[in-house]
């Protein structure tokens, strides 16, 4: 891959298997330079957040992000490569796929739609766009209890000053142009799958033909005294994030929960608040997700930025003074001064409204779906934070993956199967977090890891961590006599995390995506040049 300057903009020139291709050079998601990404099997993967683009068409094939890349004409003459590109495409560096429109919108009553999408996060939005990209020209209605059009919720804890208008995923004109109707401040309270009807909070009823449930999750709250106080927040909306920043400026902020959201908020408030304290039940942040060593390194980074940790304890009371939060009392007996408190102790799937619907919900509130995002009810699909689904690269283990990238992909797969295309999901989970200007990237699914192999310098925060799990397979499963000799021990890499080690997480994601396994012995020798080398 080579980045080339065409005078009024750059292109990414690619040579693979003797063929030349030219596409946009920046990832449309957050502008990452794709020349630093990973080239494999006819696609390039972004080094930052893992989005994948077809090198022949520029189409987006894995997420996050909504748009593909412009593709440019390539001609070879007398050993020279010529690229022909429009100035507009070079400057925009993005391409929205051609979409259908609704051809008979006036024929519908307001109480009837062909496709109904409950939820307007990434899963719901990508579903609606995919339907239009695939030529669907009937009515699409998307409803959300929020007052905004779909927006980038991942920025609420990473860039807390953001206004809603700055983080919208698509403009109002976009939805109008492609006849995707978005009903804001509209909450569904009941679904009748037998009569194919939903009931809204205001009593309005709407019939549907196919249904997608993509309602996301609801933040968990504290159960102690004082949880209702005005300056106690779960970060759910842009207004929440903005108010927290305002209340924390030059004052004392307490974050309950060293979750991704909690730690991102703590990092953001550091430069603004007088003090930032984090209260956490575990002894190390991210211990279950990233392991002890990585969690400890991150904790030290926070402590060097004036964040105070109170570990292995809980909140027993939130004390008020004149109706406002003044102190956070811990079960350890410690009392923390607090002008604002943010709760980041996890979330629960928003599925309570489905209890009488006939849609199966498991004991934790999740909706089990198959690889085509279908629920147990024909014509009803689900995607995003609300589902558990079979993860192909973990031997179809049923998992819940509440990541931004996964919601996009599940929305796409749901749309294709609402159109009866029989497409199964096969993607590698990919996530990222940003704190103090440093990014942690993660790919795979490390649930149940039993060892962590670290390469690089973890103290300097320049490292890669491989999460491995031992699986024991019986060589002769039908034999009544099985000895240890008859069993094959297989330690496999199931996830990877890195800081300042790009594009290794995208490299590993591509190896996993190809169906190949990475063994523990491949990464513990210290020589991982086969992974860190540039190119394909």
């Amino acid at each position: 891959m080579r980045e080339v300057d065409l005078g009024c903009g750059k292109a990414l020139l690619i040579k693979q298997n003797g063929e030349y291709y030219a596409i946009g050079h920046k990832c449309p998601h957050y502008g990452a330079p794709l020349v630093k990404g990973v080239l494999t099997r006819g696609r390039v993967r972004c080094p930052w957040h893992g989005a994948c683009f077809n090198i022949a068409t520029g189409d987006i094939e894995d997420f996050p992000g909504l748009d593909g890349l412009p593709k440019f004409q390539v001609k070879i003459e007398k050993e020279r490569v010529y690229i022909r590109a429009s100035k507009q495409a070079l400057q925009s560096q993005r391409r929205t796929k051609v979409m259908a429109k609704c051809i008979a919108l006036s024929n519908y009553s307001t109480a009837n739609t062909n496709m109904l999408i409950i939820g307007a996060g990434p899963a719901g939005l990508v579903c609606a766009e995919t339907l239009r990209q695939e030529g669907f020209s009937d009515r699409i209605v998307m409803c959300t209890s929020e007052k905004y059009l779909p927006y980038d919720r991942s920025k609420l804890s990473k860039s807390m000053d953001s206004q809603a208008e700055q983080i919208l995923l698509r403009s109002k004109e976009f939805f109008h142009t492609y006849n995707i109707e978005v009903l804001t401040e509209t909450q569904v309270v009941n679904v009748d799958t037998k009569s194919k009807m939903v009931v809204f909070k205001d009593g309005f009823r709407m019939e549907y033909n196919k249904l997608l449930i993509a309602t996301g999750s609801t933040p968990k709250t504290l159960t102690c005294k004082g949880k209702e106080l005005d300056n106690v927040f779960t970060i759910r909306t842009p207004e929440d994030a903005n108010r927290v920043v305002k209340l924390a400026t030059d004052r004392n902020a307490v974050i309950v929960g060293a979750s991704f959201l909690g730690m991102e908020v703590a990092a953001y408030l550091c430069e603004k608040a007088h003090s930032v304290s984090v209260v956490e039940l575990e002894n190390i942040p991210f211990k279950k997700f990233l392991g002890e060593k990585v969690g400890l390194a991150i904790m030290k980074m926070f402590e060097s930025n004036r964040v105070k940790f109170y570990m292995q304890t809980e909140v027993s009371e939130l004390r008020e003074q004149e109706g406002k939060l003044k102190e956070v009392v811990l079960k350890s007996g410690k009392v923390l001064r607090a002008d604002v408190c943010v709760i980041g102790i996890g979330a629960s799937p928003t599925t309570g409204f489905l209890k009488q619907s006939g849609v199966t919900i498991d004991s934790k509130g999740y909706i089990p779906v198959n690889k085509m995002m279908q629920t147990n009810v024909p014509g009803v699909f689900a995607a995003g934070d609300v589902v558990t689904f079979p993860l192909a690269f973990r031997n179809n283990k049923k998992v819940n993956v509440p990541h931004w990238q996964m919601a996009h992909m599940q929305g796409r797969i749901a749309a294709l199967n609402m159109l009866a295309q029989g497409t199964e999901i096969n993607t590698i989970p990919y996530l990222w977090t940003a704190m103090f200007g440093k990014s942690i990237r993660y790919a795979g699914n490390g649930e149940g890891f039993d060892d962590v192999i670290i390469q690089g310098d973890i103290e300097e925060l320049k490292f890669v961590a491989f999460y491995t799990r031992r699986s024991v397979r019986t060589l002769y499963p039908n034999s009544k006599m099985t000895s240890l000799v008859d069993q094959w021990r297989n330690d496999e890499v199931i996830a990877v995390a890195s800081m300042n080690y790009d594009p290794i997480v995208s490299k590993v994601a591509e190896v996993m995506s190809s169906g190949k396994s990475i063994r523990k012995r491949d990464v513990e020798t210290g020589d991982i040049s086969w992974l860190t080398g540039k190119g394909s």
Side-chain angles (χ1 to χ4, degrees), residues 157-171:
S157 51
K158 296 180 180 76
S159 181
M160 297 179 70
D161 279 310
S162 299
Q163 303 299 306
E165 298 73 27
Q166 297 170 314
I167 57 175
L168 290 180
L169 294 170
R170 293 294 196 196
S171 66

mmCIF file with all atom_site columns, all heavy atoms in Angstrom, residues 157-171:
data_model
loop_
_atom_site.group_PDB
_atom_site.id
_atom_site.type_symbol
_atom_site.label_atom_id
_atom_site.label_alt_id
_atom_site.label_comp_id
_atom_site.label_asym_id
_atom_site.label_entity_id
_atom_site.label_seq_id
_atom_site.pdbx_PDB_ins_code
_atom_site.Cartn_x
_atom_site.Cartn_y
_atom_site.Cartn_z
_atom_site.occupancy
_atom_site.B_iso_or_equiv
_atom_site.pdbx_formal_charge
_atom_site.auth_seq_id
_atom_site.auth_comp_id
_atom_site.auth_asym_id
_atom_site.auth_atom_id
_atom_site.pdbx_PDB_model_num
ATOM 1   N N   . SER A 1 157 ? -18.695 9.785  26.796 1.00 0.00 ? 157 SER A N   1
ATOM 2   C CA  . SER A 1 157 ? -17.747 9.656  27.903 1.00 0.00 ? 157 SER A CA  1
ATOM 3   C C   . SER A 1 157 ? -16.319 10.002 27.486 1.00 0.00 ? 157 SER A C   1
ATOM 4   O O   . SER A 1 157 ? -15.452 10.180 28.335 1.00 0.00 ? 157 SER A O   1
ATOM 5   C CB  . SER A 1 157 ? -17.789 8.230  28.469 1.00 0.00 ? 157 SER A CB  1
ATOM 6   O OG  . SER A 1 157 ? -17.641 7.277  27.437 1.00 0.00 ? 157 SER A OG  1
ATOM 7   N N   . LYS A 1 158 ? -16.067 10.090 26.182 1.00 0.00 ? 158 LYS A N   1
ATOM 8   C CA  . LYS A 1 158 ? -14.712 10.387 25.699 1.00 0.00 ? 158 LYS A CA  1
ATOM 9   C C   . LYS A 1 158 ? -14.533 11.867 25.364 1.00 0.00 ? 158 LYS A C   1
ATOM 10  O O   . LYS A 1 158 ? -13.434 12.394 25.408 1.00 0.00 ? 158 LYS A O   1
ATOM 11  C CB  . LYS A 1 158 ? -14.412 9.562  24.440 1.00 0.00 ? 158 LYS A CB  1
ATOM 12  C CG  . LYS A 1 158 ? -14.383 8.046  24.648 1.00 0.00 ? 158 LYS A CG  1
ATOM 13  C CD  . LYS A 1 158 ? -14.089 7.336  23.338 1.00 0.00 ? 158 LYS A CD  1
ATOM 14  C CE  . LYS A 1 158 ? -14.046 5.818  23.491 1.00 0.00 ? 158 LYS A CE  1
ATOM 15  N NZ  . LYS A 1 158 ? -15.374 5.221  23.617 1.00 0.00 ? 158 LYS A NZ  1
ATOM 16  N N   . SER A 1 159 ? -15.635 12.521 24.979 1.00 0.00 ? 159 SER A N   1
ATOM 17  C CA  . SER A 1 159 ? -15.595 13.934 24.602 1.00 0.00 ? 159 SER A CA  1
ATOM 18  C C   . SER A 1 159 ? -16.848 14.601 25.169 1.00 0.00 ? 159 SER A C   1
ATOM 19  O O   . SER A 1 159 ? -17.809 14.899 24.462 1.00 0.00 ? 159 SER A O   1
ATOM 20  C CB  . SER A 1 159 ? -15.549 14.050 23.068 1.00 0.00 ? 159 SER A CB  1
ATOM 21  O OG  . SER A 1 159 ? -15.481 15.384 22.670 1.00 0.00 ? 159 SER A OG  1
ATOM 22  N N   . MET A 1 160 ? -16.829 14.801 26.479 1.00 0.00 ? 160 MET A N   1
ATOM 23  C CA  . MET A 1 160 ? -18.061 15.099 27.221 1.00 0.00 ? 160 MET A CA  1
ATOM 24  C C   . MET A 1 160 ? -18.662 16.469 26.953 1.00 0.00 ? 160 MET A C   1
ATOM 25  O O   . MET A 1 160 ? -19.820 16.719 27.291 1.00 0.00 ? 160 MET A O   1
ATOM 26  C CB  . MET A 1 160 ? -17.790 14.925 28.716 1.00 0.00 ? 160 MET A CB  1
ATOM 27  C CG  . MET A 1 160 ? -17.411 13.499 29.093 1.00 0.00 ? 160 MET A CG  1
ATOM 28  S SD  . MET A 1 160 ? -17.073 13.299 30.851 1.00 0.00 ? 160 MET A SD  1
ATOM 29  C CE  . MET A 1 160 ? -18.712 13.482 31.560 1.00 0.00 ? 160 MET A CE  1
ATOM 30  N N   . ASP A 1 161 ? -17.887 17.358 26.337 1.00 0.00 ? 161 ASP A N   1
ATOM 31  C CA  . ASP A 1 161 ? -18.424 18.685 26.005 1.00 0.00 ? 161 ASP A CA  1
ATOM 32  C C   . ASP A 1 161 ? -19.231 18.683 24.710 1.00 0.00 ? 161 ASP A C   1
ATOM 33  O O   . ASP A 1 161 ? -19.796 19.707 24.320 1.00 0.00 ? 161 ASP A O   1
ATOM 34  C CB  . ASP A 1 161 ? -17.272 19.692 25.870 1.00 0.00 ? 161 ASP A CB  1
ATOM 35  C CG  . ASP A 1 161 ? -16.808 20.185 27.234 1.00 0.00 ? 161 ASP A CG  1
ATOM 36  O OD1 . ASP A 1 161 ? -17.670 20.591 28.027 1.00 0.00 ? 161 ASP A OD1 1
ATOM 37  O OD2 . ASP A 1 161 ? -15.591 20.155 27.498 1.00 0.00 ? 161 ASP A OD2 1
ATOM 38  N N   . SER A 1 162 ? -19.253 17.549 24.006 1.00 0.00 ? 162 SER A N   1
ATOM 39  C CA  . SER A 1 162 ? -19.917 17.483 22.696 1.00 0.00 ? 162 SER A CA  1
ATOM 40  C C   . SER A 1 162 ? -21.402 17.828 22.787 1.00 0.00 ? 162 SER A C   1
ATOM 41  O O   . SER A 1 162 ? -22.109 17.361 23.689 1.00 0.00 ? 162 SER A O   1
ATOM 42  C CB  . SER A 1 162 ? -19.784 16.072 22.099 1.00 0.00 ? 162 SER A CB  1
ATOM 43  O OG  . SER A 1 162 ? -18.438 15.735 21.905 1.00 0.00 ? 162 SER A OG  1
ATOM 44  N N   . GLN A 1 163 ? -21.852 18.653 21.840 1.00 0.00 ? 163 GLN A N   1
ATOM 45  C CA  . GLN A 1 163 ? -23.281 18.949 21.702 1.00 0.00 ? 163 GLN A CA  1
ATOM 46  C C   . GLN A 1 163 ? -23.897 17.889 20.784 1.00 0.00 ? 163 GLN A C   1
ATOM 47  O O   . GLN A 1 163 ? -23.221 17.326 19.926 1.00 0.00 ? 163 GLN A O   1
ATOM 48  C CB  . GLN A 1 163 ? -23.489 20.336 21.096 1.00 0.00 ? 163 GLN A CB  1
ATOM 49  C CG  . GLN A 1 163 ? -22.838 21.457 21.873 1.00 0.00 ? 163 GLN A CG  1
ATOM 50  C CD  . GLN A 1 163 ? -23.385 21.581 23.281 1.00 0.00 ? 163 GLN A CD  1
ATOM 51  O OE1 . GLN A 1 163 ? -24.592 21.702 23.484 1.00 0.00 ? 163 GLN A OE1 1
ATOM 52  N NE2 . GLN A 1 163 ? -22.501 21.547 24.269 1.00 0.00 ? 163 GLN A NE2 1
ATOM 53  N N   . ALA A 1 164 ? -25.169 17.620 20.966 1.00 0.00 ? 164 ALA A N   1
ATOM 54  C CA  . ALA A 1 164 ? -25.847 16.580 20.189 1.00 0.00 ? 164 ALA A CA  1
ATOM 55  C C   . ALA A 1 164 ? -25.667 16.792 18.686 1.00 0.00 ? 164 ALA A C   1
ATOM 56  O O   . ALA A 1 164 ? -25.420 15.845 17.932 1.00 0.00 ? 164 ALA A O   1
ATOM 57  C CB  . ALA A 1 164 ? -27.331 16.532 20.540 1.00 0.00 ? 164 ALA A CB  1
ATOM 58  N N   . GLU A 1 165 ? -25.769 18.050 18.243 1.00 0.00 ? 165 GLU A N   1
ATOM 59  C CA  . GLU A 1 165 ? -25.681 18.357 16.813 1.00 0.00 ? 165 GLU A CA  1
ATOM 60  C C   . GLU A 1 165 ? -24.303 17.993 16.241 1.00 0.00 ? 165 GLU A C   1
ATOM 61  O O   . GLU A 1 165 ? -24.170 17.682 15.069 1.00 0.00 ? 165 GLU A O   1
ATOM 62  C CB  . GLU A 1 165 ? -25.955 19.846 16.560 1.00 0.00 ? 165 GLU A CB  1
ATOM 63  C CG  . GLU A 1 165 ? -27.340 20.326 16.976 1.00 0.00 ? 165 GLU A CG  1
ATOM 64  C CD  . GLU A 1 165 ? -27.520 20.443 18.486 1.00 0.00 ? 165 GLU A CD  1
ATOM 65  O OE1 . GLU A 1 165 ? -26.520 20.663 19.209 1.00 0.00 ? 165 GLU A OE1 1
ATOM 66  O OE2 . GLU A 1 165 ? -28.667 20.255 18.950 1.00 0.00 ? 165 GLU A OE2 1
ATOM 67  N N   . GLN A 1 166 ? -23.282 18.008 17.087 1.00 0.00 ? 166 GLN A N   1
ATOM 68  C CA  . GLN A 1 166 ? -21.913 17.721 16.628 1.00 0.00 ? 166 GLN A CA  1
ATOM 69  C C   . GLN A 1 166 ? -21.658 16.224 16.453 1.00 0.00 ? 166 GLN A C   1
ATOM 70  O O   . GLN A 1 166 ? -20.732 15.833 15.750 1.00 0.00 ? 166 GLN A O   1
ATOM 71  C CB  . GLN A 1 166 ? -20.894 18.274 17.638 1.00 0.00 ? 166 GLN A CB  1
ATOM 72  C CG  . GLN A 1 166 ? -20.937 19.784 17.799 1.00 0.00 ? 166 GLN A CG  1
ATOM 73  C CD  . GLN A 1 166 ? -20.085 20.245 18.976 1.00 0.00 ? 166 GLN A CD  1
ATOM 74  O OE1 . GLN A 1 166 ? -20.137 19.698 20.066 1.00 0.00 ? 166 GLN A OE1 1
ATOM 75  N NE2 . GLN A 1 166 ? -19.258 21.256 18.731 1.00 0.00 ? 166 GLN A NE2 1
ATOM 76  N N   . ILE A 1 167 ? -22.457 15.401 17.101 1.00 0.00 ? 167 ILE A N   1
ATOM 77  C CA  . ILE A 1 167 ? -22.181 13.960 17.078 1.00 0.00 ? 167 ILE A CA  1
ATOM 78  C C   . ILE A 1 167 ? -23.277 13.141 16.395 1.00 0.00 ? 167 ILE A C   1
ATOM 79  O O   . ILE A 1 167 ? -23.325 11.918 16.531 1.00 0.00 ? 167 ILE A O   1
ATOM 80  C CB  . ILE A 1 167 ? -21.907 13.426 18.514 1.00 0.00 ? 167 ILE A CB  1
ATOM 81  C CG1 . ILE A 1 167 ? -23.091 13.723 19.441 1.00 0.00 ? 167 ILE A CG1 1
ATOM 82  C CG2 . ILE A 1 167 ? -20.616 14.003 19.069 1.00 0.00 ? 167 ILE A CG2 1
ATOM 83  C CD1 . ILE A 1 167 ? -22.928 13.104 20.836 1.00 0.00 ? 167 ILE A CD1 1
ATOM 84  N N   . LEU A 1 168 ? -24.147 13.826 15.641 1.00 0.00 ? 168 LEU A N   1
ATOM 85  C CA  . LEU A 1 168 ? -25.175 13.097 14.882 1.00 0.00 ? 168 LEU A CA  1
ATOM 86  C C   . LEU A 1 168 ? -24.503 12.204 13.844 1.00 0.00 ? 168 LEU A C   1
ATOM 87  O O   . LEU A 1 168 ? -23.534 12.596 13.187 1.00 0.00 ? 168 LEU A O   1
ATOM 88  C CB  . LEU A 1 168 ? -26.114 14.069 14.168 1.00 0.00 ? 168 LEU A CB  1
ATOM 89  C CG  . LEU A 1 168 ? -27.070 14.897 15.042 1.00 0.00 ? 168 LEU A CG  1
ATOM 90  C CD1 . LEU A 1 168 ? -27.916 15.811 14.159 1.00 0.00 ? 168 LEU A CD1 1
ATOM 91  C CD2 . LEU A 1 168 ? -27.961 14.012 15.906 1.00 0.00 ? 168 LEU A CD2 1
ATOM 92  N N   . LEU A 1 169 ? -25.002 10.990 13.682 1.00 0.00 ? 169 LEU A N   1
ATOM 93  C CA  . LEU A 1 169 ? -24.433 10.054 12.708 1.00 0.00 ? 169 LEU A CA  1
ATOM 94  C C   . LEU A 1 169 ? -24.884 10.374 11.286 1.00 0.00 ? 169 LEU A C   1
ATOM 95  O O   . LEU A 1 169 ? -24.153 10.132 10.324 1.00 0.00 ? 169 LEU A O   1
ATOM 96  C CB  . LEU A 1 169 ? -24.820 8.618  13.081 1.00 0.00 ? 169 LEU A CB  1
ATOM 97  C CG  . LEU A 1 169 ? -24.217 8.123  14.405 1.00 0.00 ? 169 LEU A CG  1
ATOM 98  C CD1 . LEU A 1 169 ? -24.837 6.797  14.814 1.00 0.00 ? 169 LEU A CD1 1
ATOM 99  C CD2 . LEU A 1 169 ? -22.700 7.991  14.306 1.00 0.00 ? 169 LEU A CD2 1
ATOM 100 N N   . ARG A 1 170 ? -26.081 10.890 11.141 1.00 0.00 ? 170 ARG A N   1
ATOM 101 C CA  . ARG A 1 170 ? -26.614 11.325 9.846  1.00 0.00 ? 170 ARG A CA  1
ATOM 102 C C   . ARG A 1 170 ? -27.442 12.584 10.056 1.00 0.00 ? 170 ARG A C   1
ATOM 103 O O   . ARG A 1 170 ? -28.037 12.784 11.121 1.00 0.00 ? 170 ARG A O   1
ATOM 104 C CB  . ARG A 1 170 ? -27.512 10.247 9.223  1.00 0.00 ? 170 ARG A CB  1
ATOM 105 C CG  . ARG A 1 170 ? -26.809 8.961  8.791  1.00 0.00 ? 170 ARG A CG  1
ATOM 106 C CD  . ARG A 1 170 ? -25.858 9.215  7.643  1.00 0.00 ? 170 ARG A CD  1
ATOM 107 N NE  . ARG A 1 170 ? -25.453 7.988  6.964  1.00 0.00 ? 170 ARG A NE  1
ATOM 108 C CZ  . ARG A 1 170 ? -24.412 7.897  6.152  1.00 0.00 ? 170 ARG A CZ  1
ATOM 109 N NH1 . ARG A 1 170 ? -23.644 8.960  5.931  1.00 0.00 ? 170 ARG A NH1 1
ATOM 110 N NH2 . ARG A 1 170 ? -24.108 6.759  5.562  1.00 0.00 ? 170 ARG A NH2 1
ATOM 111 N N   . SER A 1 171 ? -27.507 13.413 9.016  1.00 0.00 ? 171 SER A N   1
ATOM 112 C CA  . SER A 1 171 ? -28.267 14.665 9.107  1.00 0.00 ? 171 SER A CA  1
ATOM 113 C C   . SER A 1 171 ? -29.767 14.408 8.939  1.00 0.00 ? 171 SER A C   1
ATOM 114 O O   . SER A 1 171 ? -30.184 13.351 8.446  1.00 0.00 ? 171 SER A O   1
ATOM 115 C CB  . SER A 1 171 ? -27.805 15.630 8.011  1.00 0.00 ? 171 SER A CB  1
ATOM 116 O OG  . SER A 1 171 ? -28.156 15.090 6.730  1.00 0.00 ? 171 SER A OG  1
#
